[in-house]
């Protein structure tokens, strides 16, 4: 919609009403602010929800792989053959043996429930980016060294170099009953995954040490699998699942974390719908301000009509006036949303200081920090939604102005 110089001049004049129309200017300003807040809220919430999903996926799947192959009974005896078979499956990029078993640990009178993980040296080295203290190179088979999560180290009061005791309730049988197996391990490294539950419970050691601790011999509990397309992992592993039928069960990340990711997906859609109502309310403000502007300018519109202004010109003038309010509000909302997301962590800390409340408890939120990942496509959809609603809100007042009959208005002038 291209405006002539005359139409653009009138539109700019109506966007900045005079003193006699101060109330209209206030309503228009409120409309702009409302659109800005609605768009900013949508950008912030959708980015945070995307950040939640992405961070949880990266941390959970990055640690556990895209799928787990677990033998019936918890022990995979011929795991070398199965591992070779898995690695030959098209689409599988990585597969490694894994032992995972809940245990108990004590240190200086403190005790915590833990989850012992036995990994190959290559998988242990992948924790290098998560390392907070110590050295992963010390986790050699037979060295009886372990790496523990940062929250677990904090709960136990343990540091690198300290010795913790890991207790296996399924110990050796004796004439006096089952004696729990207790082995002392040196803390060689402390890591932080970023997921509270993991950092609070994980103890990582070489597979051979885990087998010794669990008295399982040369067996493992499961095989961790990574594919080239996590979204289609079930299709990639379908042939393997048929081959292992009756021996082991294949469980992908979607099944393991189904309740969590489905809840996030439902909440994401619900938040988008609810927050879109804010933009809709802002658009009604644009509608009301334009209606008041048309009523206040009825005489001016009639004079413009007698001077030769067409209905189409008046239509474009008022559509432009309302649409620019919506466009400016949308632009300001996107900028405000990005600024909030950039400083989100300091803002959270500031609100916590002002209210005295812990707004981000990692034990409840899973993640240690407020995540954010902005999707340009979603931002574009939000902007288009706000602009389309703003445009639709201008149509009724614009048609009302264009249908003004100058004869009826100026009859008694």
């Amino acid at each position: 919609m291209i405006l002539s110089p005359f139409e653009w001049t009138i539109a700019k004049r109506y966007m900045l009403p005079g003193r006699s129309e101060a109330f209209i200017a206030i309503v228009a300003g409120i409309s702009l602010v409302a659109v800005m807040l609605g768009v900013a809220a949508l950008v912030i919430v959708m980015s945070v929800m995307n950040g939640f999903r992405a961070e949880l996926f990266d941390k959970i799947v990055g640690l556990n792989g895209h799928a787990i192959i677990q033998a019936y009974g918890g022990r995979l005896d011929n795991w070398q053959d199965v591992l070779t078979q898995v690695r030959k499956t098209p689409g599988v990029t990585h597969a490694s043996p894994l032992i995972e078993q809940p245990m108990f640990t004590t240190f200086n009178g403190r005790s915590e429930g833990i989850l012992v993980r036995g990994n190959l040296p290559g998988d242990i080295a992948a924790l290098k980016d998560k390392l907070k203290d110590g050295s992963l190179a010390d986790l050699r088979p037979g060295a009886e060294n372990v790496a523990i999560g940062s929250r677990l180290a904090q709960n136990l009061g343990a540091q690198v170099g300290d010795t913790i005791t890991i207790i296996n309730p399924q110990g050796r049988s004796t004439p006096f009953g089952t004696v729990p197996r207790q082995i002392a391990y040196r803390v060689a490294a402390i890591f932080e995954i970023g997921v509270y539950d993991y950092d609070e419970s994980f103890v990582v050691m070489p597979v051979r040490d885990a087998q010794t601790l669990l008295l399982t011999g040369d067996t493992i509990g499961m095989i961790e699998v990574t594919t080239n397309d996590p979204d289609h992992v079930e299709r990639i592993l379908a042939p393997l699942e048929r081959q292992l039928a009756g021996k082991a069960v294949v469980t992908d990340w979607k099944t393991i974390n189904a309740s969590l990711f489905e809840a996030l997906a439902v909440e994401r859609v619900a938040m988008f719908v609810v927050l879109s109502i804010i933009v809709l309310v802002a658009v009604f403000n644009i509608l009301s301000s334009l209606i008041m502007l048309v009523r206040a300018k009825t005489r001016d519109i009639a004079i413009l009509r007698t001077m030769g202004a067409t209905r189409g010109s008046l239509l474009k003038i008022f559509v432009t006036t309302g649409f620019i309010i919506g466009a400016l509000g949308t632009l300001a909302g996107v900028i405000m949303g990005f600024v909030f997301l950039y400083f989100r962590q300091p803002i959270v800390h500031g609100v916590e200081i002002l209210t005295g409340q812990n707004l981000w408890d990692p034990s409840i939120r899973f993640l240690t920090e407020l995540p954010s990942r902005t999707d340009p496509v979603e931002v574009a959809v939000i902007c288009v939604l706000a602009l389309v609603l703003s445009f639709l809100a201008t149509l009724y007042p614009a048609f009302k102005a264009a249908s003004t009959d100058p004869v009826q208005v100026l009859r008694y002038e």
Side-chain angles (χ1 to χ4, degrees), residues 9-172:
T9 301
I10 300 299
K12 287 193 293 184
R13 174 67 184 83
Y14 285 171
M15 278 187 283
L16 299 170
R19 292 183 179 179
S20 58
E21 293 92 19
F23 182 73
I24 299 175
I26 292 174
V27 175
I30 292 173
S31 303
L32 191 150
V33 172
V35 172
M36 178 187 71
L37 294 177
V39 171
L42 274 171
V43 170
I44 292 169
V45 170
M46 298 308 294
S47 296
V48 169
M49 296 299 295
N50 287 338
F52 258 114
R53 188 186 186 281
E55 287 295 317
L56 283 173
F57 180 82
D58 291 343
K59 295 180 185 298
I60 293 175
V61 175
L63 190 65
N64 295 323
H66 298 157
I68 295 293
I69 299 174
Q70 189 169 14
Y72 293 108
R75 292 192 179 186
L76 197 60
D77 296 322
N78 58 336
W79 63 271
Q80 291 92 344
D81 296 335
V82 176
L83 184 62
T84 302
Q85 188 177 358
V86 173
R87 287 174 175 172
K88 291 181 179 179
T89 302
V92 173
T93 57
H94 178 74
S96 61
L98 173 67
I99 294 176
E100 192 171 277
Q101 187 70 30
M103 294 270 175
F104 202 68
T105 186
T106 60
F107 175 73
N108 280 352
R110 298 183 181 182
S111 57
E112 292 286 337
I114 60 172
L115 195 63
V116 172
R117 285 176 62 94
N119 289 113
L120 292 179
D123 297 321
I124 294 175
L127 291 173
K128 184 178 180 180
D129 295 338
K130 313 295 183 183
L131 191 64
K132 291 194 66 178
D133 194 13
S135 173
L136 295 172
D138 294 337
L139 271 69
R140 298 183 301 272
E144 295 188 348
N145 291 329
V146 296
I148 66 176
S150 57
R151 296 282 176 175
L152 178 60
Q154 181 180 344
N155 293 342
L156 291 173
Q159 299 178 351
V160 171
D162 291 336
T163 300
I164 62 174
T165 301
I166 297 181
I167 303 172
N168 179 10
Q170 298 177 351
R172 296 183 181 276

Side-chain angles (χ1 to χ4, degrees), residues 238-283:
L240 184 64
E241 189 172 5
R242 289 192 294 268
Q243 295 172 12
L244 297 177
K247 300 178 182 178
V249 58
V250 180
T251 308
D252 59 53
W253 67 270
K254 296 180 181 179
T255 304
I256 297 173
N257 306 286
S259 58
L260 178 60
F261 285 101
E262 286 178 5
L264 283 175
V266 172
E267 186 175 356
R268 183 167 168 268
V269 173
M271 292 300 291
F272 183 85
V273 173
V274 171
L275 292 176
S276 296
I277 297 176
I278 299 178
V279 180
L280 188 61
V281 171
V283 163

Side-chain angles (χ1 to χ4, degrees), residues 149-223:
S150 57
R151 296 282 176 175
L152 178 60
Q154 181 180 344
N155 293 342
L156 291 173
Q159 299 178 351
V160 171
D162 291 336
T163 300
I164 62 174
T165 301
I166 297 181
I167 303 172
N168 179 10
Q170 298 177 351
R172 296 183 181 276
S173 299
T174 69
F176 302 100
T178 301
V179 177
R181 183 174 175 79
Q182 303 184 34
I183 300 181
Y185 292 93
R186 174 181 170 271
V187 178
I190 296 175
F191 59 85
E192 184 171 304
I193 302 297
V195 179
Y196 184 87
D197 290 351
Y198 292 173
D199 294 331
E200 188 186 35
S201 60
F202 273 9
V203 174
V204 178
M205 63 177 64
V207 169
R208 189 181 303 173
D209 290 357
Q211 289 172 337
T212 302
L213 173 63
L214 296 172
L215 300 173
T216 58
D218 189 23
T219 63
I220 63 170
M222 58 192 75
I223 295 176

